[in-house]
Amino acid sequence: GETTKWANHADMNSKGVEFTLNTRNIVIPDFSWTTNVTFSYNTNKIKKLKSKPNIMRLVREEGGPLEGHAAAGLYSIPFAGLSEEGLPTFYWKNGELIEDNINFQESQDVSFLKYEGSVDPSIVGGMENSFKYKNLTLGVYFTYQFGNKIRLYPSFKARYSDTGAMPAELADRWMIRGDEHKTNVPAIPSRRQYRDFSSLTSVYNAYNYSDQRVARGDFIRLKDITLSYTLPKKWISPLSLNNAEFRFVASNLALLYSDKKLNGQDPEFFRSGGVAMPMPRQFTFTLRVGL
């Protein structure tokens, strides 16, 4: 009596390595410099898959499974350039050039999709340097990740209004005939185009999920700077304290490196705060005492 049955049936190979390196670079009276480096490398590949995901599941930002690639692989509809009217065109099955009638529910043949890579980074790690002079300690912490791809925000539409924000990329859009040889950013459709092309919405949606709207998720971030000072024993003993420390922490100071195609979007927190609200800088001052 069942027409479908949910199951988790697949074979996957995973491999990786992780290590931590601690070094004491300089250790002399009253001064020391130590470094702590963490590094991990992990990849996976689906060897056998019984399910047949459709195009929409494979091109979305979360990624999808397809045999021979990563468990969360990102795929794109191949972009074929702009038409003479500035509308996006795409390569479909067997290299067919199409301008409309895009079926996102196709699941039988998805081999024409372009595999971008995994949405999960293959390399993740960090590096912390700690400098100590007498009772004063300075810590600088960097984080990084490499090897993943990100689907850019689906900003392009067949119709815009004054109530919504437009993407900055529209400054480079197709505007007059001949611009299709200079730019890959589609035009803002006219009322006539919107009226005459019934599938214009799906065409612009396909552009959002094309290989033109993919960026690298690589980044290097200055995560934290910590400055602490431990009060000398002779200062705190009259107060019946065992120890006391002032600490200042500055977090999320700068994204030192990321793909320019992100246009300020945060690759680490993409779609969970990085687009709607960039990572805020935080400054914390604390006093820790031990009785």
Side-chain angles (χ1 to χ4, degrees):
E2 293 182 80
T3 58
T4 59
K5 184 71 173 181
W6 289 101
N8 184 10
H9 186 93
D11 292 336
M12 182 178 70
N13 287 346
S14 298
K15 59 181 180 180
V17 61
E18 298 182 11
F19 75 85
T20 300
L21 177 65
N22 296 289
T23 63
R24 303 177 68 189
N25 307 312
I26 299 176
V27 179
I28 58 176
D30 295 335
F31 179 78
S32 66
W33 169 30
T34 61
T35 301
N36 180 34
V37 178
T38 60
F39 174 88
S40 68
Y41 174 79
N42 294 278
T43 60
N44 62 71
K45 179 184 289 187
I46 298 176
K47 305 299 291 184
K48 183 186 297 184
L49 184 67
K50 293 297 184 181
S51 64
K52 293 183 178 181
N54 60 23
I55 290 176
M56 192 64 228
R57 186 180 179 188
L58 295 172
V59 300
R60 61 186 182 178
E61 59 272 10
E62 296 91 347
L66 204 60
E67 190 171 303
H69 298 297
L74 185 64
Y75 301 82
S76 294
I77 298 172
F79 178 70
L82 301 178
S83 69
E84 292 183 350
E85 293 187 334
L87 301 181
T89 64
F90 310 94
Y91 292 114
W92 209 247
K93 301 176 186 178
N94 301 318
E96 177 188 2
L97 185 67
I98 64 170
E99 300 180 4
D100 55 9
N101 298 321
I102 298 170
N103 180 19
F104 284 95
Q105 303 306 315
E106 169 67 38
S107 61
Q108 296 301 315
D109 183 6
V110 295
S111 60
F112 66 93
L113 293 178
K114 179 183 177 181
Y115 177 63
E116 304 286 359
S118 175
V119 300
D120 298 318
S122 56
I123 297 175
V124 178
M127 181 177 70
E128 181 178 17
N129 284 286
S130 180
F131 306 89
K132 185 175 182 180
Y133 176 71
K134 294 185 178 181
N135 291 357
L136 188 66
T137 302
L138 173 65
V140 183
Y141 181 49
F142 299 88
T143 59
Y144 61 86
Q145 75 176 34
F146 295 94
N148 65 310
K149 294 298 180 67
I150 291 177
R151 172 71 62 198
L152 296 178
Y153 192 81
S155 302
F156 291 87
K157 303 175 182 178
R159 171 174 285 187
Y160 300 92
S161 70
D162 293 336
T163 61
M166 293 184 177
E169 293 95 329
L170 280 179
D172 298 323
R173 70 187 182 275
W174 184 101
M175 297 185 69
I176 60 174
R177 183 162 294 188
D179 282 352
E180 63 270 16
H181 303 300
K182 303 175 184 178
T183 181
N184 287 329
V185 181
I188 297 177
S190 64
R191 290 186 178 181
R192 176 189 61 80
Q193 289 174 316
Y194 189 81
R195 182 186 66 247
D196 294 344
F197 291 88
S198 59
S199 61
L200 202 58
T201 298
S202 66
V203 169
Y204 274 74
N205 200 31
Y207 181 79
N208 286 322
Y209 293 106
S210 73
D211 52 14
Q212 294 296 300
R213 302 295 295 164
V214 175
R216 298 188 307 274
D218 307 345
F219 74 83
I220 300 174
R221 182 190 301 280
L222 175 56
K223 185 67 174 178
D224 295 311
I225 293 181
T226 303
L227 182 65
S228 61
Y229 181 74
T230 302
L231 298 180
K233 285 285 186 179
K234 62 181 181 180
W235 292 5
I236 61 176
S237 294
L239 302 175
S240 300
L241 299 176
N242 289 327
N243 56 73
E245 179 189 63
F246 291 103
R247 174 172 292 190
F248 174 76
V249 180
S251 302
N252 304 317
L253 290 181
L255 191 61
L256 301 179
Y257 167 76
S258 64
D259 193 338
K260 293 181 179 180
K261 291 182 68 175
L262 289 170
N263 289 320
Q265 300 172 21
D266 196 311
E268 186 177 12
F269 298 94
F270 187 76
R271 285 300 186 91
S272 60
V275 173
M277 184 179 295
M279 283 291 292
R281 295 185 178 92
Q282 296 181 345
F283 303 93
T284 307
F285 181 79
T286 59
L287 170 62
R288 301 173 61 183
V289 296
L291 303 177

